[in-house]
C-alpha cells in the first residue's frame, strides 16, 4: 500500500516525523524522510512509509534520490507496464539498480517529465522534486485509485496519502469551517 507525506513552507514543520508515524500502517517495512531548505527559503519535507511488494530490497527504499541528489521521489502505487517502460529506458541508455517500478517511475519522470504520465498504466500517487529547477510535481493516476489529499494556504503546501497525515501536520485542519458546513447543506457539496 505505502504512504507518502509532504510539507513545503517557509517554516520547517516540527510535527513531520510524528505525522509520518500517523500513516505507519500504510507501510511497515521502511520509512524515510528527505529535507531541504531551498535558496529562496522554502523548507521541503518529503516522507515515505513503505510496504515492500515488487522489489523487497533496501535499494528501493524511499525517498528515492538520484546519485547527484538533484532529483527526489516519494511514490505510492503500482505501475503495471513498468517492465516495458524499463525496456524503453534501457534502450535510451538508462541503467537500473533495482527490479521494481519505483526506479522506473523515477527515471521516467527525469527523462520525460510529468507531462507524459498518460503513458503509465496503473494506480499511483507521487511527489517528484527537481532540485536544480526548484520544482515540485505531485500527481496521481487518472482515476484517483491511489489517494492524494492536499492543502494549500499562505505559501504552505501539505499533501498525504490520508487525511490523517494532513491532520497530523496541521491540527487546525480538523476544525469545521461553519461557512463550508452551511454551503454543504445548501448545495449538497
Amino acid at each position: 500500500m505505502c504512504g507518502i507525506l509532504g510539507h513545503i513552507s517557509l517554516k520547517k514543520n516540527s510535527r513531520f516525523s510524528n505525522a509520518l508515524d500517523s500513516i505507519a500502517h500504510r507501510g511497515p517495512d521502511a520509512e524515510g524522510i528527505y529535507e531541504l531548505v531551498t535558496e529562496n527559503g522554502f523548507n521541503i519535507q518529503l516522507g515515505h512509509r513503505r510496504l515492500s511488494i515488487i522489489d523487497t530490497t533496501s535499494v528501493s527504499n524511499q525517498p528515492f534520490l538520484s546519485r547527484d541528489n538533484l532529483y527526489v521521489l516519494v511514490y505510492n502505487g503500482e505501475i503495471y507496464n513498468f517492465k516495458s517502460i524499463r525496456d524503453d529506458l534501457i534502450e535510451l541508455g538508462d541503467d537500473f539498480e533495482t527490479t521494481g517500478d519505483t526506479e522506473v517511475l523515477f527515471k521516467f519522470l527525469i527523462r520525460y517529465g510529468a507531462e507524459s504520465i498518460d503513458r503509465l498504466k496503473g494506480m499511483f500517487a507521487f511527489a517528484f522534486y527537481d532540485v536544480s529547477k526548484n520544482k515540485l510535481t505531485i500527481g496521481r493516476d487518472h482515476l484517483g485509485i491511489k489517494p492524494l489529499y492536499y492543502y494549500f494556504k499562505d505559501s504552505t503546501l501539505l499533501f498525504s496519502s490520508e487525511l490523517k497525515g494532513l491532520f497530523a501536520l496541521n491540527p487546525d485542519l480538523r476544525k469545521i469551517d461553519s461557512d463550508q458546513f452551511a454551503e454543504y447543506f445548501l448545495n449538497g457539496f
Side-chain angles (χ1 to χ4, degrees), residues 97-160:
E97 297 176 17
T98 72
T99 59
D101 58 350
T102 301
E103 186 177 20
V104 172
L105 174 61
F106 183 69
K107 293 195 175 185
F108 177 87
L109 290 170
I110 291 171
R111 182 171 291 277
Y112 297 112
E115 301 79 26
S116 299
I117 64 170
D118 59 335
R119 292 181 51 195
L120 305 175
K121 308 297 181 219
M123 52 183 181
F124 53 86
F126 67 86
F128 179 75
Y129 182 61
D130 181 332
V131 176
S132 64
K133 294 180 182 174
N134 193 27
K135 179 180 178 183
L136 176 75
T137 303
I138 61 173
R140 64 172 175 78
D141 61 87
H142 303 352
L143 297 176
I145 297 169
K146 289 297 181 182
L148 183 61
Y149 298 95
Y150 68 93
Y151 168 82
F152 180 74
K153 185 177 182 183
D154 299 330
S155 300
T156 297
L157 172 67
L158 311 175
F159 61 88
S160 178

Side-chain angles (χ1 to χ4, degrees), residues 8-10 36-44 129 133-134:
I8 295 87
S9 179
L10 291 169
L36 174 76
V37 178
T38 65
E39 289 179 7
N40 58 351
F42 276 89
N43 289 271
I44 297 178
Y129 182 61
K133 294 180 182 174
N134 193 27

Side-chain angles (χ1 to χ4, degrees), residues 34-95:
Y34 171 83
E35 295 182 316
L36 174 76
V37 178
T38 65
E39 289 179 7
N40 58 351
F42 276 89
N43 289 271
I44 297 178
Q45 296 170 285
L46 303 174
H48 187 265
R49 293 297 306 216
R50 181 173 184 214
L51 176 64
S52 303
I53 295 177
I54 296 177
D55 182 344
T56 59
T57 64
S58 63
V59 292
S60 284
N61 286 349
Q62 298 178 45
F64 205 86
L65 289 133
S66 59
R67 288 183 186 143
D68 57 9
N69 292 322
L70 290 179
Y71 302 100
V72 185
L73 173 73
V74 289
Y75 153 69
N76 169 32
E78 183 177 355
I79 308 295
Y80 305 140
N81 61 336
F82 82 93
K83 289 181 181 177
S84 65
I85 291 174
R86 177 187 170 112
D87 291 343
D88 293 345
L89 291 170
I90 288 171
E91 281 185 28
L92 294 171
D94 287 327
D95 60 327

